[in-house]
């Protein structure tokens, strides 16, 4: 992974990485709903949505 400097520095690379982590958490929660324990599904969904909310709040605060 190459670090590219843009107008906001390296922040966008970290946001992209967090966005991928959040998307994978939510996807695994949706797909694993049938065979994973309910607490695992709920935790994955909560973590994924929480990361997405933090990203949105951070981007709205930046403007």
């Amino acid at each position: 992974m190459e670090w590219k400097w843009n107008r906001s520095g390296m922040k966008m690379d970290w946001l992209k990485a967090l966005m991928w982590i959040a998307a994978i958490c939510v996807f695994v929660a949706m797909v694993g709903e049938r065979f994973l324990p309910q607490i695992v599904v709920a935790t994955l969904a909560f973590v994924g949505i929480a990361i997405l909310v933090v990203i949105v709040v951070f981007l709205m605060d930046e403007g």
Side-chain angles (χ1 to χ4, degrees), residues 2 6 9 12 15 21 23-26 31 33 35-37 40 42 45-46 52-55 58-59:
E2 184 180 59
N6 53 15
M12 291 308 290
L15 291 177
I21 292 169
I24 290 169
C25 284
V26 172
V31 171
E33 189 176 8
F35 55 86
L36 288 174
V40 174
F46 179 77
L52 291 174
V53 167
V54 167
I55 290 172
F58 176 75
L59 289 176

Side-chain angles (χ1 to χ4, degrees), residues 26-38 40-42 44:
V26 172
F27 180 74
V28 170
M30 290 190 309
V31 171
E33 189 176 8
R34 289 206 176 256
F35 55 86
L36 288 174
Q38 188 174 8
V40 174
V41 172
L44 284 171

Side-chain angles (χ1 to χ4, degrees), residues 4-12 62:
K4 295 180 183 173
W5 287 93
N6 53 15
R7 283 183 277 133
S8 60
M10 287 194 296
K11 281 190 259 187
M12 291 308 290
E62 200 175 66

